């Protein structure tokens, strides 16, 4: 957990719009199979074909593990549903599998979604307080009781499904859709996903759209006749620039010794086995 509080979220939402804005993309249709609920603990992910995109269930699980290695110092991303703390970044509480924040709107949208589907669940009474603190780092109306109830709710499959669905709607699906539109493969789609997780959707200079725009000044994606590897290097260069705009992101190892390593190896399909380092820690997926 050592890096969660500083690289996980301190810059992810800079300049981000409302979570539902979704980059202004004309999203491609995403197969329902990509939105399947997580496999039970201990279950092995199905084998993926080399030509599958990141929305193949096996590759999607790899993506979740890769992001979790950077954001949670663990490959066990499913263990993060009950996580909640104020990491002191001015965004209130950070919680759950993708770092939903009480000060940035996505936690509110998650709890609203869950309350619509399960109106009698434990977090529904906190909706007025979540609306009141949105845009601030305040805990008013939340506090230890909310923390305990978040962890309690996270033990329910319905809330886990809600977290999965909101992660997909705001972050995963738009990243994969843009990757397919740019005609990049599985690795490229993952590179986009990791960027949107940290920097958030939007068109600001350090948001996902701004990073992509900066890359376009240096290279063209395959959809515009560019070389895929050259394009992804340009995107990663722009990503590193965006990370360095905030001191909390000065460690760029999640790019340098993970994503760039896969790209240099020519692993555009993100095939296993995978070996990488983040913040000096080593990880492996068979």
């Amino acid at each position: 957990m050592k890096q969660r509080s500083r690289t996980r979220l301190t810059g992810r939402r800079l300049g981000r719009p409302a979570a539902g804005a979704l980059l202004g993309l004309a999203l491609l249709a995403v197969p329902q199979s990509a939105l399947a609920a997580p496999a039970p603990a201990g279950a092995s992910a199905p084998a993926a074909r080399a030509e599958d995109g990141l929305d193949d269930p096996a590759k999607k699980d790899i993506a979740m593990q890769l992001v979790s290695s950077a954001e949670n110092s663990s490959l066990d991303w499913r263990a993060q549903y009950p996580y909640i703390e104020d990491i002191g970044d001015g965004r209130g509480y950070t919680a759950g599998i993708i770092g939903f924040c009480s000060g940035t709107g996505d936690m509110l949208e998650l709890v609203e979604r869950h309350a619509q589907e399960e109106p009698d669940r434990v977090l529904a009474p906190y909706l007025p307080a979540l609306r009141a603190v949105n845009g601030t780092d305040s805990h008013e109306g939340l506090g230890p009781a909310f923390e305990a109830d978040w962890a309690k709710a996270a033990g329910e499959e319905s809330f886990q499904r809600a977290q999965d669905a909101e992660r997909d709607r705001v972050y995963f699906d738009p990243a994969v859709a843009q990757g397919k539109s740019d005609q990049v493969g599985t690795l490229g789609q993952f590179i986009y996903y990791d960027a949107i997780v940290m920097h958030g959707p939007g068109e600001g200079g350090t948001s996902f759209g701004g990073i992509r725009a900066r890359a376009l000044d240096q290279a063209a994606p395959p959809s515009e006749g560019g070389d895929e590897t050259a394009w992804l290097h340009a995107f990663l260069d722009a990503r590193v620039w965006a990370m360095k705009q905030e001191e909390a992101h000065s460690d760029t190892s999640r790019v340098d010794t993970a994503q760039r390593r896969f790209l240099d190896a020519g692993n555009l399909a993100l095939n296993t086995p995978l070996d990488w380092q983040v913040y000096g820690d080593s990880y492996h997926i068979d």
Side-chain angles (χ1 to χ4, degrees):
M1 301 294 287
K2 65 177 182 289
Q3 284 294 334
R4 180 170 202 133
S5 64
R6 291 298 170 259
T7 296
R8 180 177 168 86
L9 289 161
T10 48
R12 177 165 72 83
R13 291 167 170 76
L14 292 180
R16 74 186 288 269
L22 300 183
L23 310 175
L25 298 173
L27 295 180
L28 304 179
V30 179
Q32 288 300 309
S33 61
L35 307 181
S44 59
R49 302 180 303 277
E51 67 270 20
D52 284 323
L54 199 66
D55 49 359
D56 173 84
K59 294 296 177 76
K60 183 175 183 179
D61 186 72
I62 289 170
M64 299 307 130
Q65 293 182 66
L66 288 168
V67 170
S68 188
S69 73
E71 304 221 334
N72 311 110
S73 297
S74 169
L75 298 184
D76 188 3
W77 63 270
R78 295 182 181 89
Q80 310 309 319
Y81 290 110
Y83 166 79
I84 183 168
E85 68 174 319
D86 188 326
I87 62 178
D89 63 354
R91 294 165 175 84
Y93 283 112
T94 294
I97 58 169
I98 208 67
F100 304 102
C101 289
S102 60
T104 63
D106 57 353
M107 179 182 285
L108 171 60
E109 291 186 6
L110 167 64
V111 176
E112 286 178 334
R113 177 192 187 111
H114 188 235
Q116 288 172 357
E117 297 172 353
E118 305 281 348
D120 60 343
R121 292 308 192 218
V122 66
L123 294 180
Y126 294 99
L127 280 172
L130 286 170
R131 294 184 183 111
V133 303
N134 189 26
T136 77
D137 62 357
S138 174
H139 294 184
E140 187 172 354
L142 301 172
F146 177 68
E147 297 172 32
D149 283 339
W150 178 280
K152 179 179 179 181
E156 300 175 355
E157 289 186 8
S158 65
F159 192 51
Q160 294 176 16
R161 288 195 302 269
Q163 288 196 38
D164 292 341
E166 201 67 3
R167 171 204 62 203
D168 290 348
R169 183 182 73 86
V170 179
Y171 303 108
F172 186 82
D173 293 351
V176 172
Q178 183 65 65
K180 291 184 176 182
S181 179
D182 286 342
Q183 296 179 12
V184 298
T186 307
L187 174 60
Q189 292 166 34
F190 170 71
I191 286 171
Y192 285 8
Y193 174 59
D194 190 68
I196 195 173
V197 165
M198 174 177 281
H199 300 279
E203 300 301 325
T206 57
S207 295
F208 177 87
I211 292 169
R212 184 174 176 276
R214 189 177 185 86
L216 284 168
D217 289 337
Q218 304 301 319
S223 60
E224 298 179 15
D227 176 77
E228 182 173 4
T229 298
W231 163 249
L232 292 176
H233 274 300
F235 185 91
L236 289 177
D237 290 344
R239 167 85 188 278
V240 167
W241 174 86
M243 292 174 73
K244 289 184 176 180
Q245 301 313 297
E246 187 173 7
E247 177 60 29
H249 292 160
S250 59
D251 186 324
T252 59
S253 58
R254 68 194 290 160
V255 171
D256 303 332
T257 54
Q259 296 168 47
R260 191 90 73 177
R261 175 173 294 182
F262 305 149
L263 183 57
D264 287 341
N267 191 0
L268 297 176
L270 199 62
N271 287 327
T272 55
L274 295 170
D275 291 279
W276 71 99
Q277 283 83 41
V278 183
Y279 315 126
D281 295 333
S282 296
Y283 298 93
H284 174 81
I285 297 177
D286 289 318

